[in-house]
Each structure stands twice: as C-alpha cells, then as structure tokens.
Amino acid sequence: MANDNPWAEAAKRYKLELPEEKEKPKDWDAAYEKYAKAESRRPRRGGERSGGYGGGRGNQGGGYGRQGGGYGGHGGYRGQDDGASPRPKTTEPASAPYNFVSLPEAIVPAPLDQGLDWHKMDEKERLRLYRKYVCADGAKSGRIELSLETLTPLFIGSGSSGDTNEFFSPTGEPIVPGSTLRGFIKHMVRMVSGGAMRPGAEFTERHLYFRAIVEQGSNLADYYEERMVEIIKVPRRKGEGNKAVEVEEDRPVSKATPGFLIRVRGKYYVCPADKKRVLIPPSDPQIKARIDWDEKEHSADVITGKSPNEKKVYYRIQNADWKPEHRLPVPKSVLEDYREDKSRGRFNLLQTARPNEKPRALTGGRAQRFANSKDVDFCVPCFYMAEDGVVQHFGHGRYYRIPYEKSIADHVPAALQKDTIDFVDAIFGCKALWAGRVIFEDAVLQGAANQLAPSRSHPLMTPNPTSFQLYLKQTGKEPQHWDSAAPIRGYKLYWHQKASADSWRLDPERDRVVKGTQEIRPIAAGARFSGSIRFKNLRSEELGALLEVFSLGADGEDICFKIGQGKSLGLGSVRLKARLLLEDTEEQFAGLFTDGAWRESLEESTGEECLAAFRQWREEHLGEGKEAFEKSMKELRCLLDWNKTSLPKWQEKTAMMRIGDRSDTRFKDRVILKSALDFAR
C-alpha cells in the first residue's frame, strides 16, 4: 500500500532526484517500481534535432534518460515497463465552440495592386497614382443599408468600470457600434477575397510558451526533456561491506542556471549565481509559489508551490556575480514573449507583489543594496538559459515554461505575408499608405429591446493557441506542436448555438466566480437594428468583394454572423440583410442642392454586375489554388449556417472541453479537433 509520502520514499530508495511536478497514479509504490525499471520500453523518435528524440544526449537508450529514457536516469519517472504503450486515450472526439476556415494558397491581389511596390514608392508619386486610380471612370459610390436581427442574446460592452458592464448605449438606447460592424465585415472580406495574413495586423507575432513534464508518452514531453534536461554522473556505493564498489549513476538535472534578473536604466540583465538545495521544513505547507528574501545574506529562496506533499527541497539562489561586465543581456523580444504568455498563471517575475503578498522583486533602494549597485532598480531571482552570452528565456523554478523556437509567423505560409495589396488594403485602407473608402455607421435600435437581467456569465475564454492540437493543422495520430512544420489551421470562427436567455449565466453554486469579473446585461433575441455602410469611388470588383459577404448562402443555407462578446457561450448570433443603393453621379451634380440640403440621388441595385466582376477577378487570380479555395468557402458557409444548430446534440458537440474535469480527459489527452466539414458531418 502507498505511504503518506510515496514519491519522496521511492526517490530515496532509488537515489533519484524527485521531479518538480508529478501526476499521482493510484498505487504509488507499484507505479514507481514500474517507472524505475532499468530499461524504458517507450519507443522514441530518431533522426530529429541533434540525434533525434531517440538519439539525443542519452547515447544508449535514447533521450536524456540514457538507458531508460525520461528524466529518471536508469528508467526515469517517465519511462514505461516492458511492451507498455502510452496510457490509452479517450476515443471521444474533441468538442469546441469554434473551428477554422482554411487559408488560401496565395494572396489574390486587388486591382489597385497593379504589380507596383506601393510601400517603397515615393510619397508624392504614390498619392498621384492612387488619386488617378480612385477617380477613374466607372468608380461607384453609394451606401449599403443593413438590417440586423439578433437570434441569440447579444452583448456589446460599454467599458463601464462598475460592478455591471452595461450594453453600449451612448444615447440611452442600445447601439451596435459602427466599429463592431466594420471589424467583422472586414474579417469576412479577407476570407472571401483571398486576403493576406501579416504579422502585427492579422495576427500577433510572438513565441508561445510550454512546459510538459507529466504528459506521459507524448512527443511534447520528449521535446521538453530534450530542451531542459541533461544527465550528470553521480557516484554511488553499490553492495555491502567489503564487496561494496563505487559506481556512477545517471541523474537528470535541469539545464537552467540560477541567477538574479535585474533592471538597469530600463534594460534587463541576468547576473549569474549559485544555488543550494534546502530541505522544506514539515511546518511549511509550500502551497503557493513565492520568493523568500534574505537581504542580509544577499540570497533568495525560490519556492514553486506545487504538489506540497511531494516536494521536499527548494533552492536558495546566492553568491551572485554582480560585476557589470558579467551581466547577461535579456533582449526586448524575450521580455515581450514572457509578458505575452497568458498560460503561465499568476506568478509573473516581472510584476511586483500583489496586495497581501510578500514582495516578489526588490525595487528601488532595496534592489540597490541587495545588488551592491546604484544603477539597479529591480531585482528578482530566476532560472535561465543563455546562448553566446545572451539570455534566451527565464522563469521561476528549475523546470519553467519555455518558448518554442518557432514563432507563430513560422506557421503562416510565407506567400500570405507579402506586401501585395489585397482587397482589404484597397477597400478599408492601409494605414501607412492611404485611408479607406468605406464608412460604417452605428446600427440603431428599431422599436424596443428586451434587456436581460444582469448576471455574471461563464468565464469568457480568450484564444489560447498553446493548444496546438486545436490550432495547428494535424495530419498524423500524434499531435504536432509549435516547433513542428505544421501550418496554422486558418481563420478562427465560432459556431452558432441556440443560447437561451439564461444559458450564458454563471451558476454561483456550481461554477467558480472569477475575481474581478463584471455582471453583464445582454439584449434578448429578437431585437432589430438598422445601419449602413457608405462607400466612395469603389471599383466594381471592390464593391463586389464587399457584397460577397452578404451573398454567401447556397442550397438552403441560412448564413448568419457572430458579433459582440460571449461568442463561445452562444451569444452574438445575428441575421444580417443588405440593400445596395448606388449613387447617380450625373443626376446628383445636375443640381447639388435641393431645398437648401445636399442632394443625394440613389438608386437601388442588385449588385449582380459587381459580384460577377469580383468573382471573375478572383477566379483568374486563384490559379492552381482554386480547388483549395473552394473548399475553404465550403468551410466558411458551414461555420456560418444557422441550420447547423438543429443537428442532434449540437450544443454538446460545440461545448468547450473542461480542462480540470477528471471525467473528461479529451483536452488533457490533446485529442485533435476535426475540420469544420468533418465536425459538422
């Protein structure tokens, strides 16, 4: 039977270093016997990265475990017994309230592109050519009248700071802001026209972070091990009495080096230091991650705060080298990536202490005295890794979250990151080149609206691309992570769900209330709004690209859209209808004013001529990518089709997988999300 502190006892028995984190099997001693065998039978990959996952630093057994693989030296804690395969994964398919529209193979250039390098052009010449283009004969002006009906509760926040975030109502009546309409229609135009995907505009360019210690049998755990663990030789006496002999044993240790992260005149550096193992006193529960400072001794204790019953040691960082010439610079990009890691949790080394917490970092005079330097105004202990004298990444604890070597941009086709002028650039404007030729007016309420009673909603989850099994295109059984060659899956859109007036509400007796969240007051389904899009001097192809957004439906599909907040909860489904009114320029200028007001001569149009011109242009420039693009349009219509909400168990299929639910291991097992078409099928 397992004892009270099984891993500590087992680690002592096998003379192995206890891992930072460990998932608890049911039978502790039996499990450790299983994992501590001399040979790991888990198959490893070869031929990848410095000898491959199977060749690596281990030499004899593959991986960093040498003869056994894993972190455990002779067997390690991640190895498996004879013939064992990774633990069986669930056969249930992944569910998610979103899916993806595949990217085009190349950018479809807008007529404005003309094969010119607009970004490198002289400003005067650029303005001349642009003016010539927009003032050419045949340019069209007018407006598109929009009527919007809510199919589910809708919420667009006002940004109020009180306990309740009211619906956006600057005039006292609920309004759908023109900026909201502009944002999602611009996104739609990009998809239907084969638009670009550029860093800083269409996606945030950064390196994502990960840690994989307990994902048994996964290639990600192997990869983390490769990056963060090395094997050292540790002497050990084997045998008893006169027959005892001195032998060397493999012991896994972290590659990360201890140090102090400091700030000097706005720039960050790491000062190398030593570490010392310190036993955790039984009276210290070690529940929360923290830093205990000893300013007199110029040392700091790094406590990671996980698994209190398993950890018996922490590390004291001391004897730092404070000499300016020995400081290791931390690049700005490394700091930005660290700050952008939303999955790290609450313990951020770059933040000062929260209320009622011990200080994480020393600042001001305390930092100066600790580092014996007047130019230091911030100091915090850390573990880090450097290359060529430059810090590559850092964290709290020896086995911290590390960045993937590849960034998000590395997974976006290079052909889509070019400066080619696409339809979005041409219609909506390009900040560095020219303004847009469309203006989105607010959509105002028609009649009365039923505003629901305020309530906190289920947590509104933000995009989490660290879940690579969901965000990257997967082709094999084993999910490919962010340092693989797998491309991103495409544009993310949310499925429609038949959310009721109450389905979005948080149940305080069942659900955890996130501190700091506000109550919201959505508008019930059935509300109607009207707005318009004004456009000036658009080419037929450009106006056709805009109209294509409202002309997607085919074969009985009911194309609807998602706007506002709470999309993952089913909020924000709207049906949108458009009416095109074209300006008769000749009639307008025959008499500029009527009864003292500006004369506006508009005629209703089907827009078929413009749609045909756009579709022909798109087809001509898709080339060999036509078939792939047609598939992406099927995915788009599938995601937008309100009729999908009537499919059996649709609410269940589009529900977010719960990360901490022991009865649902799909997220933990990294079950791959099916494509939109397969998912709906």
Side-chain angles (χ1 to χ4, degrees):
M1 295 295 292
N3 52 38
D4 293 335
N5 299 305
W7 282 108
E9 292 296 325
K12 182 179 180 181
R13 184 190 312 163
Y14 292 98
K15 297 186 177 181
L16 299 174
E17 183 175 355
L18 195 67
E20 284 279 334
E21 294 184 5
K22 186 70 190 73
E23 277 188 345
K24 294 185 178 181
K26 292 181 179 180
D27 189 341
W28 300 108
D29 283 344
Y32 202 96
E33 292 277 1
K34 177 180 178 180
Y35 290 133
K37 288 186 178 292
E39 297 286 340
S40 173
R41 274 74 179 183
R42 179 165 58 87
R44 292 183 174 263
R45 301 173 182 267
E48 299 180 47
R49 302 181 58 84
S50 305
Y53 297 142
R57 297 175 181 263
N59 299 327
Q60 295 184 22
Y64 289 83
R66 189 177 170 107
Q67 296 182 12
Y71 296 359
H74 290 276
Y77 78 86
R78 289 184 50 247
Q80 300 200 16
D81 62 351
D82 293 281
S85 57
R87 62 184 175 84
K89 295 183 178 181
T90 179
T91 57
E92 290 294 318
S95 66
Y98 57 83
N99 214 287
F100 299 85
V101 176
S102 302
L103 299 176
E105 295 182 354
I107 301 171
V108 174
L112 177 57
D113 181 72
Q114 303 178 70
L116 302 173
D117 194 339
W118 290 90
H119 291 269
K120 295 182 179 180
M121 195 179 296
D122 175 77
E123 183 178 5
K124 186 176 180 181
E125 178 67 4
R126 183 176 71 245
L127 291 175
R128 184 187 69 82
L129 291 174
Y130 181 71
R131 190 178 292 111
K132 179 181 178 182
Y133 174 85
V134 299
C135 295
D137 293 339
K140 301 183 183 297
S141 302
R143 73 170 185 261
I144 300 173
E145 294 183 345
L146 302 175
S147 60
L148 183 152
E149 178 190 5
T150 61
L151 303 178
T152 64
L154 171 68
F155 181 72
I156 299 172
S158 62
S160 55
S161 58
D163 187 59
T164 301
N165 189 3
E166 298 286 348
F167 197 98
F168 184 75
S169 311
T171 63
E173 291 287 340
I175 286 175
V176 177
S179 58
T180 296
L181 298 171
R182 178 186 175 91
F184 98 82
I185 291 177
K186 180 180 179 180
H187 189 49
M188 295 298 303
V189 170
R190 189 179 309 281
M191 285 185 281
V192 302
S193 65
M197 283 280 286
R198 306 188 189 98
E202 285 70 59
F203 64 90
T204 302
E205 167 59 337
R206 61 188 177 102
H207 288 81
L208 300 171
Y209 278 65
F210 76 104
R211 182 171 70 168
I213 294 179
V214 295
E215 294 193 32
Q216 301 170 13
S218 75
N219 61 356
L220 188 66
D222 286 342
Y223 185 52
Y224 185 84
E225 178 182 327
E226 179 185 340
R227 295 269 303 274
M228 287 295 287
V229 181
E230 64 181 347
I231 302 300
I232 63 172
K233 297 291 185 180
V234 179
R236 176 194 174 191
R237 288 189 65 81
K238 187 176 182 180
E240 299 180 357
N242 296 331
K243 295 183 179 180
V245 295
E246 195 81 12
V247 298
E248 286 188 330
E249 248 185 18
D250 292 339
R251 175 172 291 179
V253 297
S254 172
K255 292 182 182 180
T257 305
F260 285 93
L261 178 68
I262 63 172
R263 184 176 62 207
V264 180
R265 291 182 289 276
K267 296 182 178 180
Y268 287 82
Y269 303 85
V270 168
C271 296
D274 297 330
K275 70 176 186 289
K276 177 184 178 181
R277 297 179 70 190
V278 181
L279 292 175
I280 298 174
S283 60
D284 189 349
Q286 301 284 309
I287 296 174
K288 293 184 178 181
R290 70 176 195 263
I291 295 169
D292 289 346
W293 291 91
D294 189 335
E295 297 178 55
K296 184 178 179 180
E297 297 296 329
H298 295 265
S299 67
D301 295 343
V302 173
I303 297 160
T304 53
K306 298 269 187 172
S307 306
N309 294 327
E310 297 173 8
K311 285 186 182 176
K312 297 303 170 186
V313 297
Y314 60 86
Y315 284 87
R316 178 167 296 159
I317 303 194
Q318 58 189 10
N319 303 329
D321 185 351
W322 303 109
K323 296 178 181 178
E325 60 268 27
H326 294 165
R327 295 170 179 171
L328 305 176
V330 184
K332 185 179 179 181
S333 59
V334 171
L335 294 166
E336 291 175 347
D337 288 337
Y338 181 87
R339 291 189 178 103
E340 286 293 325
D341 181 19
K342 307 302 184 184
S343 300
R344 177 176 294 105
R346 292 173 60 106
F347 207 88
N348 185 337
L349 291 179
L350 298 178
Q351 290 181 341
T352 57
R354 298 173 182 270
N356 302 319
E357 288 184 347
K358 290 184 178 181
R360 298 177 183 176
L362 301 182
T363 58
R366 295 176 68 187
Q368 293 176 7
R369 291 188 292 273
F370 190 89
N372 295 318
S373 179
K374 293 182 179 180
D375 60 356
V376 174
D377 65 358
F378 176 94
C379 181
V380 69
C382 70
F383 286 85
Y384 71 97
M385 291 181 66
E387 186 175 323
D388 297 327
V390 178
V391 174
Q392 302 299 302
H393 43 79
F394 62 89
H396 181 70
R398 295 171 301 149
Y399 297 105
Y400 55 83
R401 291 173 60 81
I402 61 175
Y404 290 100
E405 294 180 347
K406 290 184 177 181
S407 69
I408 293 177
D410 292 324
H411 297 268
V412 178
L416 300 182
Q417 300 187 51
K418 296 180 177 180
D419 286 331
T420 304
I421 303 302
D422 62 11
F423 277 89
V424 171
D425 295 328
I427 299 170
F428 291 83
C430 187
K431 191 174 182 180
L433 302 177
W434 48 68
R437 286 171 282 154
V438 289
I439 297 175
F440 286 78
E441 299 179 349
D442 296 337
V444 297
L445 182 66
Q446 303 298 302
N450 178 21
Q451 199 159 6
L452 303 176
S455 173
R456 286 181 172 82
S457 71
H458 294 285
L460 301 177
M461 306 297 292
T462 58
N464 188 12
T466 56
S467 303
F468 50 79
Q469 73 277 16
L470 307 177
Y471 281 80
L472 293 179
K473 189 178 291 184
Q474 305 291 342
T475 56
K477 292 184 178 180
E478 186 75 15
Q480 299 299 299
H481 53 67
W482 284 97
D483 270 349
S484 71
I488 63 171
R489 299 189 66 170
Y491 302 104
K492 181 180 177 180
L493 289 178
Y494 287 88
W495 294 106
H496 293 297
Q497 301 170 334
K498 288 185 177 179
S500 69
D502 298 314
S503 60
W504 57 275
R505 299 180 188 274
L506 187 77
D507 184 350
E509 295 184 357
R510 183 190 63 190
D511 304 316
R512 182 174 65 90
V513 178
V514 180
K515 187 178 180 181
T517 57
Q518 296 173 295
E519 294 183 336
I520 63 174
R521 294 194 67 189
I523 287 177
R528 297 180 183 273
F529 296 82
S530 64
S532 67
I533 308 170
R534 295 185 179 271
F535 57 90
K536 192 71 176 179
N537 290 351
L538 293 183
R539 291 285 188 94
S540 294
E541 295 87 350
E542 295 169 341
L543 180 55
L546 197 58
L547 295 173
E548 181 77 346
V549 174
F550 312 105
S551 308
L552 288 170
D555 302 326
E557 296 168 338
D558 187 6
I559 300 299
C560 299
F561 304 94
K562 298 274 280 191
I563 63 173
Q565 296 172 238
K567 297 183 185 71
S568 63
L569 306 177
L571 303 184
S573 291
V574 300
R575 183 174 286 114
L576 197 60
K577 295 182 179 180
R579 176 171 173 257
L580 175 63
L581 300 172
L582 290 178
E583 189 176 279
D584 188 332
T585 307
E586 291 186 5
E587 184 178 340
Q588 179 180 345
F589 284 95
L592 292 177
F593 296 93
T594 302
D595 297 329
W598 179 263
R599 181 176 181 180
E600 189 177 40
S601 179
L602 298 172
E603 293 184 357
E604 187 171 357
S605 172
T606 63
E608 290 298 330
E609 177 188 345
C610 298
L611 281 167
F614 164 69
R615 291 166 180 171
Q616 182 178 347
W617 178 277
R618 183 178 63 183
E619 183 172 349
E620 290 175 353
H621 290 82
L622 281 172
E624 296 180 355
K626 180 182 177 182
E627 184 176 348
F629 186 82
E630 289 176 349
K631 180 186 176 183
S632 70
M633 290 299 97
K634 289 181 180 178
E635 294 169 341
L636 176 61
R637 297 199 310 270
C638 180
L639 277 155
L640 297 177
D641 188 5
W642 176 256
N643 293 332
K644 295 291 184 293
T645 61
S646 298
L647 293 176
K649 297 183 178 180
W650 185 251
Q651 295 296 112
E652 179 183 329
K653 292 178 180 178
T654 55
M656 183 73 75
M657 293 178 289
R658 294 185 177 271
I659 298 177
D661 190 348
R662 294 187 177 182
S663 64
D664 185 359
T665 63
R666 292 175 296 168
F667 188 87
K668 182 180 179 181
D669 291 337
R670 296 193 181 274
V671 177
I672 296 170
L673 181 66
K674 294 181 178 180
S675 69
L677 296 176
D678 290 335
F679 185 91
R681 206 176 281 129

